[in-house]
């Protein structure tokens, strides 16, 4: 019907009609609200679920009170992250009851890593939940939601990773445009490393790489819709492997290929494991101008004894050697990392080794956490659990040092002339926010038509969360 109506209109009326149709859809369709916790892979998955649901007749809402369907895409990495979900469910339960009193229905789904790790247990603990879906089942999300809306309790936690990527619908051009000029592509999922503190191998399953052709198609479609920067995602993104016409590829090769896409200005990848940091990838940092000088390479701890207990498969010296080689290949590269304080058995001396490696590397940014014992991981059963106050004290000392390093890195940018990708409008009228090569937010004056453009600017000052700059 819409096609017939559209054909009856003159060119130019199409757009207005399109607007009317969208307004009609917004007023009459069911609305979905997706709340995302955890890592960027969850952000990517949430987008793909939204794509599938909106192509199936839902419209997105930013307001939970408005929604007919709420999906909580959850993270299980630390206890705090997982517990947050239950307090959110408590709030939604009240909303759901209020809705029921007006004769309407609110469907609540829990997806992501808590769904995978806790499964059925979620129904027991939170009967308000209608749907539980693990990370490898999202290609069925629309069908699962339909069943849940019919009153069925739906649970799906199978691992069928190839299915997920092959069957999830691609975003439409409009959906991609709406998400802005910097986008994510998951290229690898799951983890075979089994660090003794970590739940990811259990929640996401074994390491699987998406085929090169699928990734290339997605990247091309994104660039065609105006995306200028692509970040390749994976729990161990540098374990990615594939093939091109029978020739084996690693992540470095993938980056060389994607860098050929004209219109694509920038490439990034995250997160990497030190043992997969091969020569080809290090060379890519030397050779590919579009590959941004930024490497997130978690080390977790500086003591070899603790690294061994964590099952990280490398020593502190080996990590430092990688950093040295990467810096030789790309001298302006910014290094970022993740750290855990208070892993079982960590002595004062072990912790000093972490402080020492941080001093040696000099990080541009970092994430640091207190060890959280996770059910089902070997670390949780280890003796010598470190008391909370000790973990906290170590974390504060570490964060002071990392904070100083980050600030020094930002300060050192003052006076530099750099290229930024303009991503969005700033907080104040006439301000734009761009991204530096080193992932800092950069505030500069300019007009909205410049979003998506590269600008050359000079950094004038550095604040706590962003740099200020002037155009040159
Ligand atoms: N695959 C990445 C990390 C994924 S999890 C890697 O191997 O580096 C992100 C970060 O969360 C980890 O780097 C680690 O620092 C932290 N983390 C994971 N499990 C944790 C736990 N049980 N307690 C505290 N921090 C944890
Ligand atoms: Fe977790 Fe280790 Fe795998 Fe990273 S490499 S996801 S920390 S098990
Ligand atoms: Fe969290 Fe799962 Fe990502 S546990 S960090 S959402 S892989």
């Amino acid at each position: 019907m819409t096609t017939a109506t559209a054909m009856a209109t003159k060119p130019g009326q199409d757009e207005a009609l399109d607007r009317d149709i969208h307004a009609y859809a917004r007023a009459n369709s069911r609305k979905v609200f997706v709340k995302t916790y955890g890592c960027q892979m969850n952000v990517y998955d949430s987008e793909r679920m939204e794509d599938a649901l909106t192509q199936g007749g839902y419209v997105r809402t930013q307001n939970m009170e408005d929604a007919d369907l709420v999906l909580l895409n959850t993270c299980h990495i630390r206890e705090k992250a997982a517990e947050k979900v239950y307090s959110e469910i408590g709030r939604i339960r009240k909303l759901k009851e209020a809705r029921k009193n007006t004769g309407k229905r609110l469907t609540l789904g829990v997806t992501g890593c808590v769904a995978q790790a806790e499964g059925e247990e979620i129904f027991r603990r939170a009967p308000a939940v209608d749907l539980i879906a693990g990370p490898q089942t999202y290609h069925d999300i629309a069908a699962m939601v339909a069943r849940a809306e019919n009153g069925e309790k739906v649970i799906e936690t199978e691992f069928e990773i190839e299915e997920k990527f092959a069957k999830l619908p691609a975003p439409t051009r409009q959906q991609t445009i709406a998400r802005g000029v910097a986008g994510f592509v998951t290229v690898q999922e799951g983890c075979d490393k089994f660090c003794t503190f970590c739940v990811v191998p259990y929640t996401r399953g074994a390491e699987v790489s998406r085929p090169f052709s699928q990734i290339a198609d997605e990247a091309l479609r994104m660039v065609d819709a105006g995306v200028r920067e692509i970040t390749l995602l994976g729990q161990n993104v540098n374990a990615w492997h594939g093939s091109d016409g029978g020739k084996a590829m690693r992540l470095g090769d993938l980056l060389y290929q994607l860098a050929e896409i004209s219109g694509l200005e920038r490439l990034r990848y995250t997160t990497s494991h030190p043992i997969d940091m091969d020569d080809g990838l290090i060379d890519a940092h030397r050779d590919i101008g579009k590959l941004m000088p930024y490497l997130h390479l978690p080390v977790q701890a500086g003591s070899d004894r603790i690294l061994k207990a964590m099952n990280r498969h490398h020593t502190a010296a080996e990590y430092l050697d990688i950093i040295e080689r990467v810096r030789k290949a790309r001298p302006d590269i910014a290094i970022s990392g993740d750290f855990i304080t208070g892993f079982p058995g960590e002595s004062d001396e072990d912790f000093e080794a972490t402080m020492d490696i941080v001093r040696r590397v000099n990080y541009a940014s970092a994430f640091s956490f207190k060890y959280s014992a996770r059910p089902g991981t070997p670390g949780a059963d280890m003796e010598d659990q470190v008391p909370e106050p000790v973990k906290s004290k170590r974390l504060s000392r570490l964060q002071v040092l990392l904070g100083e390093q980050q600030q020094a890195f930002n300060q050192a940018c003052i006076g530099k002339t750099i290229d930024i990708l303009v991503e969005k409008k700033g907080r104040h009228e006439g301000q734009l926010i761009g991204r530096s090569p080193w992932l800092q937010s950069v505030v500069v004056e300019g007009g909205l038509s410049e979003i998506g453009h590269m600008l050359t600017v000079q950094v004038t000052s550095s604040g706590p969360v962003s740099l200020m700059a002037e155009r040159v």
Side-chain angles (χ1 to χ4, degrees):
M1 190 199 84
T2 50
T3 328
T5 326
M7 276 163 58
T9 60
K10 294 194 192 80
Q13 285 184 317
D14 285 7
E15 223 170 86
L17 183 72
D18 220 35
R19 264 204 308 278
D20 288 349
I21 290 171
H22 283 296
Y24 177 82
R26 264 197 302 281
N28 292 283
S29 300
R30 284 161 309 164
K31 300 185 180 71
V32 54
F33 175 85
V34 183
K35 181 160 181 173
T36 308
Y37 303 80
C39 63
Q40 286 158 326
M41 307 201 54
N42 261 11
V43 175
Y44 177 82
D45 286 347
S46 291
E47 289 177 354
R48 299 299 298 270
M49 283 192 280
E50 282 174 357
D51 293 341
L53 290 166
T54 51
Q55 288 174 33
Y58 268 93
V59 292
R60 276 177 64 197
T61 172
Q62 310 279 23
N63 182 2
M64 193 189 284
E65 274 73 34
D66 255 13
D68 303 285
L69 168 68
V70 174
L71 294 180
L72 303 177
N73 196 12
T74 60
C75 174
H76 200 246
I77 202 83
R78 285 168 291 275
E79 192 182 349
K80 252 200 204 142
E83 284 306 311
K84 254 195 247 166
V85 176
Y86 286 99
S87 47
E88 188 68 44
I89 293 174
R91 269 196 296 277
I92 299 167
R93 182 172 55 86
K94 295 202 185 99
L95 204 63
K96 208 172 151 157
E97 280 161 9
R99 189 74 60 85
K100 208 171 167 189
N101 293 335
T102 68
K104 289 196 188 127
R105 187 189 162 85
L106 173 67
T107 303
L108 171 58
V110 175
T111 65
C113 292
V114 175
Q116 189 65 42
E118 296 185 3
E120 201 94 42
E121 178 62 25
I122 299 173
F123 284 147
R124 276 192 286 276
R125 217 179 132 179
V129 173
D130 303 296
L131 161 74
I132 299 170
Q136 312 309 345
T137 67
Y138 300 153
H139 51 284
D140 283 334
I141 192 72
M144 288 190 280
V145 163
R147 281 161 55 204
E149 286 184 324
N150 272 328
E152 198 184 323
K153 290 272 181 193
V154 180
I155 174 163
E156 205 60 73
T157 52
E158 291 301 306
F159 283 123
E160 289 179 283
I161 193 156
E162 278 99 340
E163 296 263 298
K164 169 182 173 181
F165 286 132
K167 289 192 191 161
L168 267 166
T172 62
R173 193 156 187 276
Q174 221 50 42
Q175 285 171 324
T176 305
I177 290 170
R179 292 202 178 107
V181 297
F184 295 133
V185 178
T186 293
V187 302
Q188 179 277 333
E189 263 221 88
C191 180
D192 297 340
K193 304 284 193 288
F194 290 93
C195 300
T196 51
F197 51 83
C198 184
V199 294
V200 171
Y202 313 98
T203 62
R204 294 270 173 173
E207 274 175 17
V208 175
S209 297
R210 283 178 80 183
F212 168 55
S213 58
Q214 225 181 68
I215 297 166
D217 282 354
E218 192 165 322
L220 280 167
R221 263 204 311 273
M222 288 168 80
V223 174
D224 179 56
V227 171
R228 294 288 164 263
E229 173 176 309
I230 292 180
T231 302
L232 306 181
L233 297 179
Q235 265 90 20
N236 282 293
V237 71
N238 58 346
W240 183 87
H241 52 89
S243 67
D244 181 17
K247 198 175 142 273
M249 294 173 80
R250 297 295 316 260
L251 186 67
D253 307 306
L254 177 62
L255 289 163
Y256 282 101
Q257 293 282 345
L258 296 179
E260 297 292 322
I261 299 177
S262 83
L264 179 65
E265 301 279 356
R266 291 175 156 189
L267 280 164
R268 304 180 186 275
Y269 63 93
T270 199
T271 294
S272 300
H273 192 293
I275 61 169
D276 290 315
M277 209 61 219
D278 60 33
D279 290 341
L281 185 51
I282 295 177
D283 289 349
H285 276 286
R286 181 194 59 209
D287 298 339
I288 304 176
K290 290 182 183 179
L291 180 57
M292 289 296 97
Y294 189 94
L295 175 63
H296 184 66
L297 196 65
V299 67
Q300 316 296 356
S303 147
D304 287 344
R305 206 173 64 81
I306 295 298
L307 285 169
K308 188 150 196 279
M310 287 176 161
N311 197 31
R312 291 291 290 182
H313 294 289
H314 65 80
T315 62
E318 282 159 353
Y319 178 85
L320 288 168
D321 177 62
I322 296 166
I323 299 293
E324 197 180 307
R325 285 190 289 135
V326 171
R327 281 192 164 137
K328 215 161 157 192
R330 184 77 207 234
D332 65 340
I333 200 159
I335 306 294
S336 149
D338 290 346
F339 300 89
I340 295 175
T341 66
F343 183 79
E346 186 186 74
S347 66
D348 285 338
E349 203 186 339
D350 291 322
F351 174 67
E352 290 310 325
T354 298
M355 294 292 278
D356 190 53
I357 203 167
V358 170
R359 284 188 207 100
R360 280 163 186 253
V361 172
N362 197 6
Y363 288 89
S365 74
F367 298 95
S368 47
F369 315 95
K370 276 191 285 187
Y371 171 68
S372 168
R374 305 304 290 129
T377 62
D381 297 327
M382 287 180 185
E383 287 169 15
D384 298 332
Q385 297 286 327
V386 174
E388 279 305 305
V390 177
K391 290 184 201 172
S392 301
K393 223 167 129 196
R394 289 178 187 164
L395 184 65
S396 335
R397 272 189 62 205
L398 176 63
Q399 288 184 338
V400 168
L401 178 59
L402 290 167
E404 285 168 3
Q405 293 188 346
Q406 179 164 5
Q407 215 183 343
F409 181 81
N410 290 343
Q411 290 278 330
C413 292
I414 297 173
K416 275 189 190 159
T417 299
I418 63 172
D419 289 333
I420 62 169
L421 170 64
V422 181
E423 288 185 1
K424 54 187 176 193
K425 65 178 191 324
R427 191 147 10 121
H428 302 292
E429 185 75 32
Q431 268 185 354
L432 297 171
I433 297 183
R435 191 71 65 182
S436 81
W438 308 288
L439 221 48
Q440 298 137 306
S441 290
V442 182
V443 182
V444 69
E445 281 179 10
L448 295 183
S449 63
E450 291 174 301
I451 292 173
H453 290 239
M454 301 293 299
L455 285 184
T456 304
V457 300
Q458 187 175 35
V459 180
T460 51
S461 65
S462 116
V465 289
S466 53
L467 304 175
M468 305 292 288
E470 280 168 5
R471 325 158 151 265
V472 292

